[in-house]
Amino acid sequence: MKTTPFSCTSKIFSLLFLFASFSFSCSGGNTKEPNLNTDLVKLKITPKQCKEPWLHSEGNTLENKVRNYLKDLNIKLRNFENITPKDVVMCQACEICSGPTITIKVDKTHVDRLIKEGFSLVPN
């Protein structure tokens, strides 16, 4: 069988086309993962003792109570920090003394709801 320059060229282009098609189909498309750093916000709260919104939530630690409280609101806790100063004295009188100061990170879509719950935005 005699090959012509045209048939060689068409075979090369066919191979290149197949290679390009395979490359694009294996690249996984244009799936975009959410950027958790920009989709999260940091909020803070220092409620009065016995007025903590998580007071009646299940959990053996403050973080677990806050996590379960947020779970009941359909909010996933991404980060938790208890920033209560170590030298703060808690008293037994409810509603007079401040409770723990905590910061949380959650998805930014929940900001309005948490502000209604007593949280405030922490500036970047």
Side-chain angles (χ1 to χ4, degrees):
M1 179 170 161
K2 184 177 181 183
T3 57
T4 63
F6 179 75
S7 67
C8 286
T9 305
S10 66
K11 286 180 184 178
I12 291 172
F13 280 119
S14 297
L15 287 173
L16 288 174
F17 178 77
L18 287 173
F19 179 76
S21 298
F22 182 75
S23 298
F24 288 120
S25 67
C26 291
S27 66
N30 206 7
T31 58
K32 183 183 176 215
E33 290 292 321
N35 184 349
L36 294 179
N37 291 330
T38 59
D39 292 340
L40 297 181
V41 291
K42 189 173 188 178
L43 296 121
K44 175 180 167 181
I45 189 170
T46 305
K48 295 291 184 187
Q49 278 185 229
C50 302
K51 292 287 187 179
E52 298 98 337
W54 54 83
L55 186 64
H56 299 291
S57 296
E58 298 272 331
N60 56 358
T61 65
L62 179 58
E63 182 174 358
N64 286 339
K65 284 180 171 273
V66 172
R67 183 178 310 281
N68 289 327
Y69 157 71
L70 292 172
K71 186 177 179 182
D72 289 342
L73 298 176
N74 293 319
I75 300 172
K76 184 174 183 177
L77 179 64
R78 301 290 184 167
N79 191 356
F80 171 88
E81 188 176 2
N82 183 351
I83 59 171
T84 307
K86 300 294 181 205
D87 58 348
V88 170
V89 177
M90 300 286 186
C91 67
Q92 297 300 319
C94 285
E95 301 177 29
I96 296 174
C97 297
S98 294
T101 300
I102 65 164
T103 62
I104 61 172
K105 279 190 181 178
V106 297
D107 188 275
K108 66 183 175 184
T109 59
H110 303 297
V111 169
D112 292 338
R113 172 67 193 264
L114 289 172
I115 286 175
K116 289 177 186 173
E117 296 286 324
F119 287 82
S120 60
L121 276 172
V122 175
N124 292 339

